[in-house]
Amino acid sequence: MQARRASRLRYGGLPGNVTRGSPINVHMMRRAAQALTEGIPVGLGTDSSCPYVTQHDMWRELVYFSKYVGVTPAFALHTATQVNAGLLGLGDVCGTVAAGMDADLVLTRDNPLEDLCALREPLHVLVRAPTFSPFRYVFMSGQLRDARHPGAVVG
């Protein structure tokens, strides 16, 4: 698992000639950590409107946030979902998996709570899972749930 993680990070390393020690990244990491310490919410995202940067690279933002700012994978996922939704004023519509909320779910082979690089290769994406899902069951938050009603725990 460790070798696999290392190869994934090498493959999806920092963009271009920007390295972990470059002044811009060091500054950004310090400021993100300082904001969190001060209780200021930090959002995650990409510059997907720029050439050669796509929304498909979002998994890297979570990896970098966890690794270089020092947050847990669970906190990185929480930030990319619930915190981002709140910052955008959409917290009452999306950002959590709960009855009545719009939810897009990403199914991965490996557990992203153990290795955020698992998000790099989604097996399937469920769009607004409460109303549409080709699957009968999904595994969320450590529990088997009915895919058509994610609030319902199975067995």
Side-chain angles (χ1 to χ4, degrees):
M1 181 71 142
Q2 196 69 349
R4 187 170 164 183
R5 178 181 165 85
S7 80
R8 284 182 176 176
L9 282 174
R10 267 195 306 277
Y11 177 82
L14 292 164
N17 62 357
V18 178
T19 64
R20 180 174 178 239
S22 72
I24 191 167
N25 276 339
V26 169
H27 178 72
M28 288 180 353
M29 289 181 278
R30 283 185 188 147
R31 294 298 176 237
Q34 181 181 11
L36 292 173
T37 300
E38 298 292 329
I40 300 169
V42 173
L44 296 178
T46 65
D47 295 329
S48 61
S49 63
C50 296
Y52 308 109
V53 180
T54 69
Q55 68 275 15
H56 306 293
D57 291 330
M58 184 62 189
W59 67 272
R60 289 183 187 158
E61 297 298 315
L62 278 78
V63 170
Y64 299 157
F65 187 57
S66 178
K67 183 174 181 178
Y68 299 126
V69 176
V71 302
T72 65
F75 189 80
L77 286 165
H78 165 73
T79 300
T81 54
Q82 190 173 9
V83 173
N84 275 0
L87 290 172
L88 293 170
L90 298 172
D92 58 337
V93 177
C94 62
T96 61
V97 178
M101 301 290 275
D102 290 344
D104 298 342
L105 305 175
V106 177
L107 302 179
T108 60
R109 182 173 321 282
D110 297 322
N111 184 351
L113 294 175
E114 295 173 4
D115 182 2
L116 287 167
C117 290
L119 297 170
R120 181 174 161 248
E121 299 174 19
L123 297 176
H124 194 78
V125 176
L126 303 174
V127 177
R128 299 207 173 152
T131 57
F132 168 77
S133 175
F135 297 102
R136 177 73 178 123
Y137 302 105
V138 293
F139 191 73
M140 289 187 286
S141 303
Q143 297 175 319
L144 187 63
R145 297 176 185 252
D146 183 320
R148 292 173 186 92
H149 308 281
V153 176
V154 178

